[in-house]
Amino acid sequence: MSRFSVANPGDTSADIVGQAELIVQRMKISDKIDFNNDWKVITIFIGGNDLCRVCRNKNYLPENYISKVKDAIDYIHANVPRVFINLLEPVNVTMLYNFKFTGLMCGIAHIVACNCAANPWTKAAAQRMVERVEGYVHEVNALVDSGRYEKDDFTVVVQPFFRYTVPPHTNNKVDMSYFAPDCFHFSLKGQTDAALALWNNMVEPVGDKRLDWYEGERLKCPTESRPYLYTKKNSVASFYENDDFSAKNLAENRLLAKSAGSNDQKKAVTSSGGGVLLMVALASVAVLALVILGSVLYKRHQNKVNCSSRQRLLPNPDRSGDVRYNGNFQH
């Protein structure tokens, strides 16, 4: 499915409509997709490069950023049926300051790629960057909360697991095993944990999604009673009362992860402020990618993690009589 990744290093929100057009074109001509009937899962993660330029270019202010994101989603909405969009909150690029003393390579890379965030000249400039990041996050959530995209065959869900996560630390230093030598992209380890955290957010209800991730986090599976990705329509407030995503179990999971190795390597990663993990590999890449057809995604997921549930993740048009497979996201 790599042909459906249209991400390009260095792209900003100004490029996202072109990416949307390209991915739609590729899906239409693919013999792997039943374009009109298959569910499509698309992940959008963009904004890091915009934030890296906002201190010197007003075209990257939050209102301009979200306007372009909206245009891209509107294009997909108008041209692609049966779509579930993951819209990730932008990374908090001010976290680049955590890498300030990690070596010459990091310093040079950050000057070139994101000097606005890594090296603010004054306290006032640093505070403005914090406000810009908060503005981006607010605009993303406001767009989705508007209800503009809540349809029976189309939805957009914000996945916020970056918001309060900070770069993992070992011995009071950033754990560089998560990052490439340029300190701006993920290593394989970082990519793996980011993918895991995204998946776990996808199977948590809207309004009760975790806002951070931690080292040693366990993979979550949909339950037999709720075998689907969560949307605003099918999320229920009582979800946390009865299953593995309760606050109690989440806390226990953190303790299990911590005890699985040394305290330095397995300690829970949380933040004391409103930061977002510097998920560096994707921070510099505008990601608008077809992750995989929903039904295929779940089958592969089952095979790899041996989930007990054998239900399909997304609605099945061939089972219209089942209330969980009625051709929309409700149940």
Side-chain angles (χ1 to χ4, degrees):
M1 289 295 178
S2 60
R3 71 174 69 88
F4 296 118
S5 175
V6 293
N8 287 304
D11 274 5
T12 68
S13 59
D15 305 292
I16 195 171
V17 172
Q19 291 185 355
E21 293 171 347
L22 180 57
I23 199 172
V24 171
Q25 177 186 357
R26 290 182 181 180
M27 285 192 291
K28 285 183 175 180
I29 64 176
S30 174
D31 59 1
K32 304 296 183 182
I33 298 175
D34 183 341
F35 185 78
N36 292 318
N37 296 308
D38 283 336
W39 284 98
K40 279 75 69 177
V41 178
I42 296 175
T43 296
I44 300 175
F45 186 22
I46 194 167
N49 288 319
D50 296 67
L51 285 165
C52 285
R53 305 176 188 188
V54 70
C55 69
R56 60 179 185 270
N57 190 331
K58 292 185 177 180
N59 288 330
Y60 297 105
L61 290 174
E63 56 268 29
N64 297 326
Y65 158 79
I66 202 62
S67 176
K68 297 178 178 67
V69 171
K70 181 177 73 67
D71 288 345
I73 297 175
D74 285 351
Y75 179 84
I76 297 171
H77 186 206
N79 291 277
V80 186
R82 301 170 79 83
V83 178
F84 181 106
I85 292 182
N86 289 314
L87 181 57
L88 277 63
E89 292 181 350
V91 293
N92 184 351
V93 294
T94 64
M95 287 296 171
L96 284 171
Y97 191 81
N98 285 276
F99 295 83
K100 201 169 186 67
F101 305 105
T102 51
L104 179 63
M105 176 65 74
C106 292
I108 294 174
H110 294 165
I111 289 173
V112 174
C114 200
N115 202 39
C116 289
N119 302 291
W121 286 12
T122 64
K123 288 184 178 180
Q127 180 58 33
R128 281 195 297 273
M129 280 301 303
V130 171
E131 292 170 356
R132 297 303 187 218
V133 172
E134 292 174 347
Y136 273 46
V137 171
H138 170 77
E139 293 292 350
V140 163
N141 284 275
L143 175 63
V144 174
D145 289 344
S146 70
R148 181 183 184 90
Y149 304 113
E150 280 303 320
K151 314 294 182 183
D152 286 343
D153 65 346
F154 189 96
T155 195
V156 181
V157 180
V158 176
Q159 309 298 358
F161 67 92
F162 287 140
R163 191 184 303 177
Y164 295 144
T165 308
V166 296
H169 282 63
T170 300
N171 297 326
N172 297 318
K173 295 182 180 180
V174 174
D175 185 347
M176 295 307 298
S177 68
Y178 284 88
F179 305 104
D182 64 2
C183 312
F184 205 81
H185 294 86
F186 276 151
S187 64
L188 177 60
K189 180 179 179 180
Q191 294 278 12
T192 300
D193 278 9
L196 174 63
L198 171 59
W199 170 262
N200 286 348
N201 245 184
M202 290 165 68
V203 295
E204 295 168 343
V206 174
D208 284 314
K209 294 180 181 292
R210 291 174 309 102
L211 306 179
D212 68 342
W213 67 273
Y214 56 95
E215 294 175 273
E217 182 173 342
R218 296 190 302 174
L219 183 70
K220 299 177 181 177
C221 295
T223 64
E224 289 191 14
S225 60
R226 300 177 180 90
Y228 41 71
L229 302 181
Y230 272 94
T231 71
K232 188 173 183 179
K233 283 188 175 184
N234 66 26
S235 295
V236 290
S238 61
F239 179 76
Y240 272 46
E241 297 176 3
N242 300 311
D243 65 27
D244 292 338
F245 301 125
S246 67
K248 178 182 177 181
N249 283 330
L250 286 174
E252 291 175 350
N253 289 346
R254 289 174 184 269
L255 291 175
L256 288 172
K258 184 175 181 179
S259 64
S262 69
N263 288 338
D264 285 337
Q265 291 177 333
K266 295 296 181 180
K267 62 186 177 182
V269 181
T270 57
S271 75
S272 58
V276 179
L277 173 66
L278 178 61
M279 287 299 188
V280 193
L282 299 179
S284 66
V285 179
V287 177
L288 174 56
L290 174 66
V291 177
I292 197 165
L293 302 179
S295 57
V296 176
L297 173 64
Y298 191 48
K299 286 181 179 178
R300 291 184 178 180
H301 170 66
Q302 287 176 314
N303 292 335
K304 290 184 178 180
V305 303
N306 195 26
C307 292
S308 61
S309 171
R310 294 302 176 185
Q311 304 283 355
R312 282 180 179 268
L313 182 60
L314 292 176
N316 186 334
D318 295 330
R319 296 182 61 179
S320 57
D322 188 329
V323 294
R324 290 179 297 178
Y325 296 92
N326 59 2
N328 59 44
F329 287 107
Q330 295 177 321
H331 69 284

